[in-house]
Amino acid sequence: MKTFEQYINGKFVKSTSTDVIEILNPCTEEVLSLMPIGSVKDAELALDAAKASQHAWKSLPAIERGNYLNKMADVIRDNRVFLAETLAAEQAKVMGLAQVEIDVTADYFDYYAGFARRIEGEIIQSDRSKEHIFLHKAPIGVAVGILPWNFPFFVMARKVAGSLITGNTCVINPSSIAPNTVMEFARLISKIGVPAGVLNYVCGKGSIVGNALSSSPITGIISLTGSVGAGQMVMEAASKNITKVSLELGGKAPAIVCADANLELAVNAVVTSRVTFSGQVCNCAERLYVEESIHDQFLDMVAKKMKSLKVEDAFSKNNPDMSALVSKAQLDKVSEMVEFAKKEGAEVVVGGTRTPGFDKGYFYQPTLLTNVTQNMQIIQEEVFGPVLPVMKFSTLDEAIALANDCEFGLTSSIFSENFNKVMHAAEELQYGETYINREHFEAIQGFHAGWKKSGIGGADGKHGMEEYLQTKVIYAQYR
């Protein structure tokens, strides 16, 4: 069993707290590692190290900072199988998907390294004679990244790459549920010469470590991926120092299927979206609206697809479609929400219970629900499990209105072969992202950002990098 230490100022050090958390394998419930709970003092030491190293780091030419990101990508590729196995073990992510997460993370570091020569300002014409107005882009200072448990490795890169390439230093707070892969990465990059203090990893609970990082006057920006509740706590802590926040807080993504859609494509995209990582993905389809003329046919197609899915151990050689949920708490939440939906009148078409045949582990069946209404909890609140409720609609505008009737606004999708319909929906859907005739999953060169309670700010692409920059204006007169 591994025991992790904090990575602060270029060294692994024992936490000032002696308390630890057991990290479990969700498929077997065996203990994989011990993680320090961490303390306020640990957070303060990491912030002090980041602050002390930031001036020298920002003074490096951006291309040199980018070279360190390229080295991180190389380290990931050199250890890609080991990292994927670590990820699969700590969160029951099937090996195929775990390997994708590791490989895309390497690509992400290379992608952001490429921005080294594209951090640009402006020269603006002045109203005065013999004056230029220069807009410079400058790093904010010390960036804090608070990670989720569902895609901890990739989201770690989202926090690290954008902050480092722009000249910020960084403190990362891994998830208390799935910290192992991130901390193994810290061990690997400790050997590639990143200057001490530039990148720090402090394990611990959000209520302790996360709060200390968020409320510190040293912190210049906090980027959190997590729940609405976590986002609210970060905003409250950040308000003490008017610290900038960038938040991605989950969603309740609608998928609209019109009668003129390619139904086979829509079935595959919706089901894949719903059961990827056992439904524990913020941007994947959480509710389905189907045009009434094809409702029964489409429901039968989705049911058949769901019944064919393989649910096995994450390391199964059978290439399963999904595995266990990440924790007992998550299993209990999903079970309770489905049971409550049934009490409200929902009908179970597929699944609806824990997966039979497993003595241990947090397995829940792919579940399809019908006879649901718009005001039900299962339609309005994020399930974060392999559960798909289905409703009918008669007109596209009705479907759009139902889709927008939600406090979240992260992602959405529409399936139709009619160009006018899809463009009308894309214009009217109140979501940061809309997918047309494809599964819910973003690209690294886009901008992953939510509306409403799904967040503030965003990540990925040029706009994600700019989250870590502030504008400095210089008025230069000359004779």
Side-chain angles (χ1 to χ4, degrees):
M1 184 193 309
K2 292 189 175 182
T3 301
F4 290 105
E5 296 181 319
Q6 314 288 34
Y7 183 64
I8 300 174
N9 204 25
K11 296 179 180 178
F12 284 98
V13 296
K14 291 186 180 298
S15 172
T16 58
S17 168
T18 58
D19 295 331
V20 295
I21 296 174
E22 293 182 340
I23 307 304
L24 305 181
N25 180 322
C27 292
T28 64
E29 301 181 46
E30 67 175 314
V31 179
L32 297 172
S33 65
L34 298 178
M35 182 199 76
I37 286 182
S39 65
V40 171
K41 182 63 175 178
D42 292 344
E44 291 172 345
L45 290 170
L47 288 170
D48 288 341
K51 180 181 179 181
S53 63
Q54 197 267 326
H55 186 272
W57 179 250
K58 78 168 184 176
S59 299
L60 283 180
I63 193 68
E64 292 187 28
R65 298 197 297 265
N67 289 339
Y68 283 107
L69 298 190
N70 291 138
K71 289 181 181 179
M72 292 178 189
D74 291 341
V75 162
I76 292 170
R77 293 191 181 102
D78 290 343
N79 297 274
R80 60 186 294 273
V81 175
F82 164 71
L83 290 169
E85 290 174 345
T86 305
L87 189 63
E90 70 175 326
Q91 56 170 196
K93 185 168 284 174
V94 297
M95 267 298 293
L97 182 59
Q99 194 65 75
V100 167
E101 181 174 348
I102 300 303
D103 293 342
V104 171
T105 302
D107 292 343
Y108 200 89
F109 277 113
D110 278 339
Y111 174 72
Y112 264 89
F115 276 106
R117 292 189 175 97
R118 299 200 294 276
I119 302 172
E120 300 170 344
E122 299 177 49
I123 301 175
I124 298 173
Q125 292 295 317
S126 174
D127 291 342
R128 296 186 180 186
S129 176
K130 295 187 180 297
E131 179 177 78
H132 289 302
I133 304 173
F134 301 107
L135 265 63
H136 288 262
K137 295 294 185 178
I140 294 173
V142 174
V144 164
I146 302 176
L147 305 185
W149 50 258
N150 62 338
F151 285 88
F153 200 62
F154 175 71
V155 176
M156 178 271 300
R158 272 184 168 156
K159 316 299 187 192
V160 171
S163 58
L164 295 193
I165 195 63
T166 49
N168 301 277
T169 51
C170 194
V171 179
I172 293 294
N173 176 211
S175 162
S176 296
I177 294 175
N180 290 3
T181 314
V182 172
M183 294 309 295
E184 291 290 4
F185 177 73
R187 179 180 60 81
L188 293 169
I189 63 165
S190 69
K191 303 173 184 178
I192 65 174
V194 178
V198 166
L199 184 53
N200 308 270
Y201 290 84
V202 183
C203 296
K205 294 180 178 179
S207 58
I208 300 172
V209 172
N211 183 68
L213 294 172
S214 301
S215 59
S216 171
I218 293 174
T219 301
I221 177 173
I222 308 152
S223 177
L224 169 130
T225 302
S227 67
V228 171
Q232 289 169 335
M233 287 189 285
V234 163
M235 290 185 76
E236 183 178 356
S239 69
K240 297 175 184 177
N241 299 294
I242 319 299
T243 304
K244 181 178 180 180
V245 296
S246 180
L247 309 173
E248 194 238 294
L249 306 178
K252 187 68 180 175
I256 298 171
V257 180
C258 299
D260 58 9
N262 179 325
L263 298 188
E264 186 174 350
L265 180 153
V267 167
N268 289 333
V270 169
V271 174
T272 297
S273 177
R274 186 60 260 142
V275 302
T276 295
F277 189 37
S278 305
Q280 300 167 122
V281 185
C282 302
N283 54 337
C284 283
E286 277 251 350
R287 52 200 167 112
L288 178 61
Y289 298 101
V290 182
E291 193 163 355
E292 58 187 358
S293 63
I294 60 162
H295 174 270
D296 293 349
Q297 176 189 358
F298 195 76
L299 193 69
D300 288 344
M301 294 172 70
V302 172
K304 183 178 180 181
K305 179 74 174 177
M306 279 194 160
K307 289 175 182 177
S308 72
L309 296 174
K310 290 180 287 187
V311 182
E312 298 179 18
D313 185 278
F315 286 90
S316 170
K317 302 298 184 184
N318 296 325
N319 192 27
D321 298 285
M322 54 176 275
S323 188
L325 294 168
V326 76
S327 65
K328 184 178 184 301
Q330 194 63 21
L331 174 63
D332 290 344
K333 176 195 171 186
V334 172
S335 299
E336 289 167 6
M337 289 189 73
V338 171
E339 290 305 310
F340 188 70
K342 285 155 59 172
K343 288 180 182 178
E344 288 188 303
E347 177 185 340
V348 177
V349 180
V350 178
T353 63
R354 294 186 60 163
T355 309
F358 292 93
D359 295 330
K360 291 187 176 181
Y362 313 123
F363 293 88
Y364 197 87
Q365 293 185 81
T367 296
L368 181 64
L369 301 176
T370 189
N371 198 36
V372 297
T373 58
Q374 185 68 12
N375 63 343
M376 285 186 179
Q377 179 196 55
I378 205 76
I379 286 286
Q380 291 292 332
E381 296 182 16
E382 189 173 36
V383 181
F384 230 51
V387 179
L388 183 63
V390 185
M391 284 181 59
K392 297 177 184 178
F393 70 87
S394 57
T395 68
L396 180 56
D397 283 337
E398 179 193 0
I400 292 169
L402 291 168
N404 287 338
D405 176 30
C406 181
E407 65 181 8
F408 295 104
L410 186 59
T411 71
S412 56
S413 67
I414 180 169
F415 296 84
S416 170
E417 297 295 291
N418 185 304
F419 178 79
N420 293 322
K421 285 184 179 180
V422 298
M423 294 309 296
H424 173 63
E427 179 75 16
E428 296 298 325
L429 286 166
Q430 297 167 2
Y431 292 82
E433 299 171 24
T434 296
Y435 305 99
I436 297 172
N437 294 325
R438 56 161 287 190
E439 78 286 356
H440 290 223
F441 227 80
E442 73 277 9
I444 63 176
Q445 63 269 39
F447 185 53
H448 185 58
W451 294 8
K452 298 185 278 189
K453 284 190 178 180
S454 285
I456 298 171
D460 303 343
K462 174 184 176 182
H463 297 292
M465 177 189 70
E466 290 174 347
E467 288 284 288
Y468 295 95
L469 292 167
Q470 55 191 346
T471 302
K472 183 176 186 178
V473 185
I474 299 171
Y475 297 88
Q477 288 195 347
Y478 63 95
R479 290 192 292 273

